[in-house]
Structure formats: structure tokens, C-alpha cells
Amino acid sequence: MGNCVICGTPADGPICSSHEQDVLFEFEGSSPEQLTSGRFYKGTVDGFADFGVFIDIGNHVTGLLHKSELDRRLESLDWDQGDTVYVEVIGVRDNGNVDLSWSIRQSEREFRGKLVQDGTDVHLPNEDADDDAERTDDSPAADESGSDSNTESKPESNAEPKSEPTPERSSDPSATTDGSGNAVGSATVSSQMEVPERVAIETLGDRVGDRVRIEGEIVSTSQTSGPTVFELRDETAVVDCAAFKEAGVRAYPEVDTGDIARLTGEVELRNNELQVETEQLDALTEDERAAVEDRLAKALEDEARPADVEPLADDAAVEAIHEDIRDAASTIRRAVIESRPVIVRHNASAEGYVAGAAIERAVLPLVRDEHARSDAQYHYFDRRPLEDGFYDMQDATKDATMMLDNRERHDEKLPLFVLVDAGSTVESSDGLSLLDIYGAPHVVIDTHYPDNDVAETADSVVNPYLGESGESVTAGVLGANVAAHVNTDVRDDVSHLPAVSYWEDTPSEYVELATDVGYDEAHVTALREAVALEAYYQSYEDKRELITDLLFEHAKRDLAEHVSEQFRKKLENELDTAEPNLTVRGANGVTFTVLDTDAYTHRFDFPSSSVLLDALHRRDMTGQPGSQNVTLGLADDEVHIRSDGVINVRDIADSVRDRAPEAGIVPVGTRDGKFEFLRGERDEALDAVIEAVSEQLN
């Protein structure tokens, strides 16, 4: 029985079960059966095949990382044979074959520790501790010669004392000993060595091997089986700083995430990534802290505020909310600079995917520029579709659980949530309230008519109904304009997306914008249909690489054409099924086309009821020119509305309830929303909706 190297709780070995996935294992066993599923192992690339990569986990025990387990296309991997990689064992088959999965952590220091698995035995890597101790022994020695501190010459990092014996050093770089072997604090060391001039973190690439001083905010802290790694941000950039006390023991426990600190150390390159080997780390006093905070705040505000660029096209609805777009872009940019993860939650529709992908396109380069870690884009950005188009308690609970776990495990800041084509209506209020309780910031970019009490809780809101024009736009228009403000370098990349998000009546300015960057009308249509099809399948996954290929890899037109062909085939089949089963009713001069979506559609296959109703309404099956047309999708306990006019289900909810008081009518959404009702009152609810809608349109 021992203690967990991470949390210190009693454990049957050096790691407890709850933290087993937080550490990296080096395998020194002899057979695949000794591997443990769920553990992360260090390995080397052993070979490639059409279906995946073979990884040698150790002692010629090899597993297969199948291409389906990768987060990118197999051909886009930049691995060579012999490269060190990090993988998760997901299973060992009866025949000894080992199945592996991708790890987003592709650097040893991103794990909270390292253990050696020798057969079934697990122990601390003593050799790593020795290496760290040796590195500490090689750190700069204190100059105890009593020489003038104002001398212009800098002591070399390994200089010996001029008049005193070399002091005996402890394994803790934050402490040393005097000539009698008694421990003295690192402040004594600092007073006896020349304190280097403060430098900006963005200049460290030119200072490898130099001893430097940096000041800023500790944005994260992680404990490994060797050093403690502090991530420090100043007004220019972020860098990892390793501090060693002893193997698996927290260095500088008095300094924590959120502190403003001063750090002295030597700049090194480890695995082609910058790192500062910490010699001394101090949380600043109140007066010193205030000065640094002011410097950080001013630099952050200046850097986060986007340039006042023109909207992508001449659009009155966008012009009316231009400042709202800038505010949202500023909030997103600030999150990236603060090392705060950005989570984009968008409607799982074509429009939602287009808008979410536009913001992703803008944010990822900023994340890569801000962080030295090669896989930072997987730590600091995520895009998660919303299957029902609302940010409800189920979605918020998943997000809250994940963000709290990341804060506990990795000392990660609470993320900024960007809700796209969702978040303005009361259906999202409970979910947003849960985020508010924990203080997680959020931005709403939505096309639905807003419920003011919901919109006011957001850090910033982009919504066409908040403007003065009174006109609406698609989510793709809003997302692309926000993206162009977040990162002006992607303006041309996203300028065709507004046209992709319109199913009909695309404004000429957006057609021209797409044409100017090489996207003709036929290709734009193919993109829209292809994204709509992919948005349906596994709607809870972001499909980052596939959506990127569809929307931004212009050379891969064949992909969009292939997928859109499947879209049209499936949609036409469903329309052919639905058309004979439509019923047409009239009320107050309004024509209603009604489809029983439970009885006359193929459930659990594309298209969804929402996509089908949109297509039915665009096709206008009634063939009655001059009349106002409304399409209704009737299920057992709800009815969806599509209208030529502006029907906000909340505006007519009281009228519908009055006509069917026993039906338990509940409005959901706003424009083109739906009514939920009791199954036993289905006919009464339908009659009430038809009467109320026809009255509203007259």
C-alpha cells in the first residue's frame, strides 16, 4: 500500500484508480496480456498501413492505431518511423492483438506524471528523478564572493564561487545551503546573483540558453511525476516553466493558478518546444502585483479588441449590429489570449455547422500562435453540435461536468462558451443559468427572436433582432462576420460561407461575394447539401476534418459533389413518400399543408423532420398561387410550423391555449418553432394551431 503521486490518497501502488488516466506509462513488460486497457503509454511508430499505424509500446510489443481512432486523416499525420508518440490501450484481444486509440496529449509534460510498468508491477521511474536531480545540480551556483552587485559582467550559469567553497546544493532549486551545509532560502541565492532584466515571453525563442526574468499571470499548474509545470502568461505570450523539488512533489506550493508572479530561470528547448527551467518563482506583493496586472490588462484589452473592419457585404441587418459583432469577437479573442478554452456550441443544422466552422477557422490559428504546445488547438478549442438546437440542461450538465473535471485534473480555466444559432430563447435559460452559477462566460450568436432575460445573461449577444433594421439573416452570415473580426487573416476563407447558409433567395451581395472567391452557384449548393447531410449523422460530433474539407478545401470539389448527390437522392425519396400523404386545409384565406411525420416518414434516417418540412415548404406542394402558405409537421405530441409570414409561436401561444385549454400547449422556440401538447388532445391542438396561425397572418 502506498500513496497516489498526484492526490496523495492511499493506493495499491503509486497511483490511485481515479488518476490512472492522468499519468503516462512506460511499458517494460514482455507480453501484450500485461497491458492495461484505459492506460496511456509511450510508444514509437513502427510502421504504416492503409488502415492505420503500428505502434511499438515497448520490448517489441506492438499495437494497431486504426485510422478510425485518429482525430485527423491518416495521410495528414506528420509521423515518421521511429517517432515517439503517445497512445491509449483500448483493448487486448484473445490472439494478443492490441487495439490503440489516439491521445490528444502528444507531449510527455502534458501528463501529470510518469510511471514504469514492468510486467504487471508499476513503480516510479527512478532514473527520471536522477535526471532531474542532475539538472538541479547543474543549475547556476550562488556567487558568494561578495563582489560588487553593480558590476556590468554577468556570471556564467555554471560559475564557481571566487573565494568560498562551492556550496552544497539540495535537490530543491528553490533552496540552497550555506558553507556549513545549512539550508538557506532561494532569496539568498537571488541576492547573491545578478538578477537578469525582465524580458517579454515572445522573445524567448531568441534567448535559448540564457538566464532570464519574466513576469505575468500563472494560467495553469500541473504536477508530473518529476517537475511541477507552471504556465505563465505576460502581455506578449505564454510559456511553460518547469520547477523541480523532488520526484512527484509540488514545487512552490505557495504559488497557484491566478497568481501574478516573477520567475527567473534558463530558457531551454525540449522536444522543439520552449520551456523555462525555473530557478526562482515568487508571487508578487500587492504593490508589485497591481503594476503587472495593469500592464497585462491594458495589453490584453488592446490585443483583444479587433480592428474595426467592414462587414463582409453591404447588409443592413449586419450593419445594425456591427458593434455587437465586434464585442463578441473581442470576447472570443480575449479568451484565447487568457489561455481560456473556447467551446463553440452550435445548432446541428447546415446553417449551424457553417457558422460554427467559420468561427473555428478564425480561432484555431490564434490558439496556435498563442501557445507553444503543438497540440494546443485540441486543448483550447472545441466545437460541439446541439442536436435539438437549444442549449438545455442535458447539454449544460455535460459541459459543466467536463469543465469542472478539467479544472480539477489539469487546473484549467473555465471555458468561454460560444452559442451559435442557439441560446436566445427560454429553452436555453436553464442551461445558461448553470454556467452562470459557476461563472463560466458565454457569448450568444443567434438568429431566433430573443427572450430578453436570456440574452441579458450573456457576456455579449449578436442577434439581428437587436438591431434597428428589423431584418433577419442566417446564422452563417453572423458566424462568418464574427470570424472575420476575430481574425482578419481568414476573411477571404470565410467570405463564401454566407451564401452557403441560404437555402433560397440568397441576397445578391452574398452570391457575388462567393463568386469573387471562386465558388460558383452550383458548388455553393453542393456545399450546403453536403453539410446538411453530414450534420444529420452523429450530430453530437464536430466532424472537424470532414467539415473543413467540405467548406474550405476548394480543390476537393468532388467530395462535396459526392455527398450532395446522396443528399438529393435521400431527400427526393422522402419527398416522394410524403407527397401522397399530405392533407391540405384552409382557414381565413391561409392554406395549410399538413404531414403526419410519425406515420408517413422513415424515422431514424435522413432527412430529419426539420429538413423535410423545410423542403416541403420551399416546394409549395399546394400549387395555389397568391395564397399564404403554412406547412405543418404533425407528430403524436408536437406540431412544427413553417410559414411564409413571420409566425412567432410565443406571440400566439395564449391564443392557441384558449382554443384548446385541455391540451397542455407549450410553445418551443420562436419563429418557425413548434407547439408541444398532450397526445390525447392531438386533434384539438392541431385545430387550435391552425386557427391561431391563420388569425395572426390576417
Side-chain angles (χ1 to χ4, degrees), residues 139-144 169-170 172-178 182-195 211 244 251-252 254-255 262-264 278-283:
S139 62
D143 181 0
E144 299 179 354
R169 302 297 297 264
S170 77
D172 184 352
S174 65
T176 185
T177 60
D178 59 17
N182 299 318
V184 296
S186 55
T188 304
V189 178
S190 299
S191 68
Q192 296 169 337
M193 296 186 67
E194 182 178 345
V195 178
R211 184 168 170 266
F244 186 79
Y252 302 103
E254 71 278 6
V255 180
R262 176 182 295 118
L263 186 146
T264 303
T278 304
E279 170 191 310
Q280 178 61 29
L281 176 63
D282 297 296

Side-chain angles (χ1 to χ4, degrees), residues 333-470:
R333 287 171 57 87
R334 185 185 184 101
V336 174
I337 299 167
E338 289 180 323
S339 299
R340 186 183 300 279
V342 176
I343 310 297
V344 174
R345 282 296 221 156
H346 61 82
N347 193 357
S349 62
E351 298 92 321
Y353 262 90
V354 167
I359 296 173
E360 177 181 75
R361 190 72 168 180
V363 172
L364 289 184
L366 300 184
V367 171
R368 289 192 289 264
D369 289 345
E370 188 70 23
H371 298 275
R373 292 159 57 170
S374 58
D375 61 345
Q377 66 187 44
Y378 299 103
H379 287 275
Y380 291 101
F381 185 89
D382 197 7
R383 181 167 54 75
R384 305 170 188 165
L386 295 166
E387 193 165 3
D388 295 325
F390 303 110
Y391 191 68
D392 57 24
M393 275 298 289
Q394 180 176 348
D395 301 309
T397 300
K398 291 179 181 177
D399 285 344
T401 300
M402 188 176 298
M403 75 180 184
L404 294 176
D405 184 60
N406 287 339
R407 184 174 68 177
E408 178 67 23
R409 287 180 175 232
H410 310 300
D411 204 21
E412 193 175 89
K413 287 187 175 182
L414 295 183
L416 168 69
F417 290 91
V418 182
L419 275 70
V420 179
D421 204 20
S424 284
T425 65
V426 70
E427 287 77 22
S428 299
S429 60
D430 289 340
L432 294 178
S433 295
L434 183 60
L435 297 184
D436 287 335
I437 289 173
Y438 286 103
H442 51 274
V443 170
V444 171
I445 303 170
D446 199 7
T447 59
H448 297 88
Y449 193 85
D451 294 308
N452 288 334
D453 57 337
V454 177
E456 288 173 0
T457 66
D459 293 76
S460 59
V461 181
V462 178
N463 190 299
Y465 293 104
L466 300 178
E468 299 176 356
S469 70

Side-chain angles (χ1 to χ4, degrees), residues 245-305:
K245 183 174 183 180
E246 59 183 86
V249 176
R250 171 67 182 271
Y252 302 103
E254 71 278 6
V255 180
D256 209 346
T257 300
D259 285 347
I260 304 297
R262 176 182 295 118
L263 186 146
T264 303
E266 182 176 334
V267 183
E268 295 187 354
L269 267 180
R270 287 187 174 271
N271 298 320
N272 291 321
E273 295 181 2
L274 284 171
Q275 179 175 288
V276 178
E277 290 294 316
T278 304
E279 170 191 310
Q280 178 61 29
L281 176 63
D282 297 296
L284 298 185
T285 64
E286 186 173 344
D287 290 342
E288 293 174 319
R289 177 188 179 101
V292 177
E293 284 179 330
D294 288 345
R295 188 170 70 235
L296 290 176
K298 184 178 185 306
L300 180 59
E301 182 179 352
D302 292 343
E303 187 177 357
R305 190 63 178 170

Side-chain angles (χ1 to χ4, degrees), residues 6 163 174 234 360 382 414 435 476 502 551 554 556 600 670:
I6 293 179
S163 59
S174 65
D234 70 0
E360 177 181 75
D382 197 7
L414 295 183
L435 297 184
Y502 282 92
L551 290 179
H554 202 182
K556 297 183 178 179
Y600 300 112
T670 53

Side-chain angles (χ1 to χ4, degrees), residues 34-75:
Q34 295 169 339
L35 294 168
T36 301
S37 298
R39 286 180 177 174
F40 290 87
Y41 290 88
K42 182 178 181 178
T44 56
V45 176
D46 195 42
F48 296 88
D50 291 340
F51 47 82
V53 186
F54 293 103
I55 307 296
D56 184 349
I57 301 172
N59 290 339
H60 304 292
V61 173
T62 301
L64 173 65
L65 177 58
H66 194 271
K67 63 181 181 181
S68 63
E69 294 292 339
L70 291 168
D71 71 334
R72 63 195 71 179
R73 299 185 310 279
L74 181 61
E75 58 269 22

